[in-house]
C-alpha cells in the first residue's frame, strides 16, 4: 500500500495507463546497481531516484574535476574535489529523501565485484572504460542479472538491454580492448542516452512496455536520428556461448 505522501509524490506517473499502485510498489522494492556516477550515471541516478526506485547502489572512486561539469549534472562547482559518490548522494538526497542510497567509493575489479555489486535486480553500465564493462558483463551472466549497456561519444550513443541467456551478452558484439582515451562528449548526449537507460530500467521493473532486448538503439545527434539494429548471439562467445 502506498502512503498518502507517495500517492501525492508519484501522482503524475500513477496516472499513466497500466502504471498502478502495484507498479509503484515494485519500483520501491527494487534495488538497482549503477556503475559510475559521471556523465551517464547522472541522468540515470536522478531519474531512478525521482521515479521512486527503492534502493540505489552506485559505485565510483573518482573525485570531481572541473572538466566533469559539462556533463555530470549530479555535481556542481562547490563539489569539485569531493568524491563523486558523496556529491551524488547529497544531490539525490535533496531530490528524494524516501529512498535508500548506497554510495560505494571503490573500484570495480575481478576481486571486488562480488562484494561491490552483490544481489540486485538490474545492473546499469554507466562506465567509460571497456575492461570494467566486460567485468560487469561476466558478473551479469554468472549471477543471471540483466545489464543495461550504453556508451556515448561526441553527439552519438548506443544502448541495449542484455538479459543473460536470452539476448547476446556484451562480449558477443563488443571487443575487449584496454585502450584508454579521453572521450569527446557534449553533456546533452549523455543526458539523452542516460535517460533512456533509466526508462528501460523502470519499464523492466514495472513490466510496462518492451525493452531493447536483441536490439541496439543507435543515436546520431549530429543529424538527429535514432536507428535500431538487431543483435545476434555469437555462438563462439567465450562468456555466454
Ligand atoms: Zn556472449
Amino acid at each position: 500500500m502506498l502512503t498518502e505522501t507517495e500517492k501525492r509524490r508519484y501522482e503524475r506517473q500513477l496516472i499513466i495507463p497500466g502504471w498502478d499502485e502495484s507498479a509503484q510498489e515494485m519500483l520501491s522494492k527494487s534495488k538497482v546497481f549503477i556503475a559510475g556516477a559521471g556523465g551517464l550515471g547522472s541522468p540515470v541516478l536522478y531519474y531512478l531516484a525521482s521515479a521512486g526506485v527503492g534502493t540505489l547502489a552506485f559505485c565510483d572512486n573518482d573525485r570531481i574535476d572541473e572538466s566533469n561539469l559539462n556533463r555530470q549534472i549530479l555535481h556542481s562547482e562547490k563539489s569539485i574535489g569531493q568524491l563523486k559518490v558523496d556529491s551524488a548522494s547529497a544531490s539525490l538526497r535533496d531530490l528524494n529523501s524516501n529512498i535508500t542510497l548506497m554510495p560505494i567509493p571503490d573500484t570495480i575489479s575481478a576481486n571486488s565485484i562480488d562484494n561491490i555489486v552483490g544481489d540486485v535486480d538490474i545492473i546499469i553500465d554507466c562506465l567509460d572504460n571497456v575492461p570494467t564493462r566486460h567485468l560487469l558483463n561476466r558478473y551479469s551472466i554468472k549471477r543471471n542479472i540483466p545489464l543495461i549497456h550504453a556508451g556515448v561519444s561526441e553527439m552519438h550513443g548506443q544502448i541495449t538491454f542484455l538479459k543473460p541467456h536470452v539476448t547476446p551478452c556484451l562480449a558477443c558484439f563488443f571487443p575487449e580492448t584496454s585502450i584508454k582515451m579521453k572521450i569527446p562528449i557534449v553533456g546533452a548526449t549523455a543526458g539523452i542516452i542516460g535517460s533512456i537507460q533509466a526508462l528501460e530500467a523502470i519499464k523492466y521493473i514495472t513490466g510496462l512496455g518492451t525493452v531493447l532486448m536483441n536490439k541496439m538503439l543507435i543515436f546520431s545527434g549530429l543529424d538527429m536520428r535514432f536507428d535500431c539494429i538487431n543483435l545476434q548471439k555469437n555462438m563462439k562467445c567465450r562468456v555466454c556461448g
Side-chain angles (χ1 to χ4, degrees), residues 5-16:
T5 307
E6 287 171 320
K7 285 181 192 170
R8 283 196 304 275
R9 174 167 198 127
Y10 302 116
E11 178 194 10
R12 294 289 284 265
Q13 58 202 45
L14 285 163
I15 58 175
I16 293 173

Side-chain angles (χ1 to χ4, degrees), residues 39-40 71 127-128 133 149-158 183-194 197 219:
L40 288 170
R71 62 199 184 283
L127 294 164
D128 60 357
R133 290 182 192 276
H149 158 75
V152 285
S153 175
E154 301 177 27
M155 293 188 202
H156 42 259
Q158 62 181 39
I183 299 166
I185 177 80
V186 61
T189 310
I192 289 163
I193 300 298
Q197 283 183 291
F219 169 62

Side-chain angles (χ1 to χ4, degrees), residues 37-111:
L40 288 170
S42 286
V44 167
L45 282 161
Y46 263 138
Y47 280 120
L48 295 184
S50 65
V53 169
T55 304
L56 294 173
F58 47 102
C59 180
D60 203 309
N61 210 19
D62 284 349
R63 290 180 182 272
I64 298 149
D65 180 85
E66 199 173 8
S67 67
N68 299 146
L69 300 181
N70 84 318
R71 62 199 184 283
Q72 302 186 11
I73 56 172
L74 273 169
H75 318 302
S76 60
E77 290 176 7
K78 70 175 179 353
S79 46
I80 288 171
Q82 284 181 22
L83 279 166
K84 287 184 184 176
V85 290
D86 289 344
S87 163
S89 293
S91 301
L92 296 168
R93 184 56 64 224
D94 281 348
L95 174 62
N96 193 341
S97 59
N98 297 309
I99 59 171
T100 301
L101 301 174
M102 296 177 60
I104 307 163
D106 206 343
T107 302
I108 296 172
S109 69
N111 290 329

Side-chain angles (χ1 to χ4, degrees), residues 168-169 171-172 234 237 239-241:
C169 81
C172 286
N234 173 0
C237 177
V239 179
C240 76

Side-chain angles (χ1 to χ4, degrees), residues 137 141 167-173 233-234 237-241:
N137 179 57
I141 299 287
T167 72
C169 81
L170 190 71
C172 286
F173 61 88
K233 257 182 190 289
N234 173 0
C237 177
R238 290 193 301 176
V239 179
C240 76

Side-chain angles (χ1 to χ4, degrees), residues 12-26:
R12 294 289 284 265
Q13 58 202 45
L14 285 163
I15 58 175
I16 293 173
W19 189 320
D20 54 13
E21 288 198 21
S22 67
Q24 192 63 45
E25 283 167 4
M26 281 190 262

